[in-house]
Amino acid sequence: MEPILVTLYTRTRCPLCDKAKNSLMELKETWNFALEEIDIEESDELTERYGLMIPVVHIDGEEVGFGYVDKFDISNRLQEKSES
């Protein structure tokens, strides 16, 4: 079974992004997933799409959270993915 892919769209000097990454790292202790971190400032398209929303979290390509990322909510989504 392929590991779940969690993508964190972020940028430098973003306290909410740091907090989201810390939450995801804590969740990695419980859940088996690959974490991909993408800096939106490296792409005009991503900056346009997510500039006001970051951090943005996707699980297997599906947007599951942005702005203030709720660790409990992400954990629930990981649970759902692991059961499907």
Side-chain angles (χ1 to χ4, degrees):
M1 185 170 144
E2 288 284 319
I4 296 168
L5 175 61
V6 175
T7 306
L8 173 63
Y9 292 93
T10 183
R11 70 163 38 122
T12 54
R13 296 177 308 282
C14 169
L16 278 178
C17 299
D18 295 339
K19 187 170 183 164
K21 185 174 181 181
N22 289 339
S23 293
L24 291 172
M25 295 308 289
E26 289 173 18
L27 288 170
K28 273 186 80 59
E29 296 172 11
T30 305
W31 299 101
N32 178 29
F33 63 87
L35 178 60
E36 173 185 39
E37 191 172 349
I38 297 176
D39 184 342
I40 66 166
E41 293 180 340
E42 294 177 8
S43 162
D44 289 341
E45 179 187 342
L46 291 176
T47 299
E48 188 174 318
R49 184 183 308 167
Y50 297 126
L52 299 175
M53 297 171 60
I54 63 160
V56 177
V57 177
H58 283 200
I59 297 178
D60 287 341
E62 177 188 352
E63 186 178 303
V64 296
F66 65 91
Y68 176 78
V69 175
D70 186 310
K71 187 167 87 170
F72 183 73
D73 185 46
I74 300 297
S75 180
N76 286 340
R77 299 302 285 265
L78 288 167
Q79 173 76 36
E80 292 169 9
K81 280 287 185 184
S82 67
E83 292 173 351
S84 60

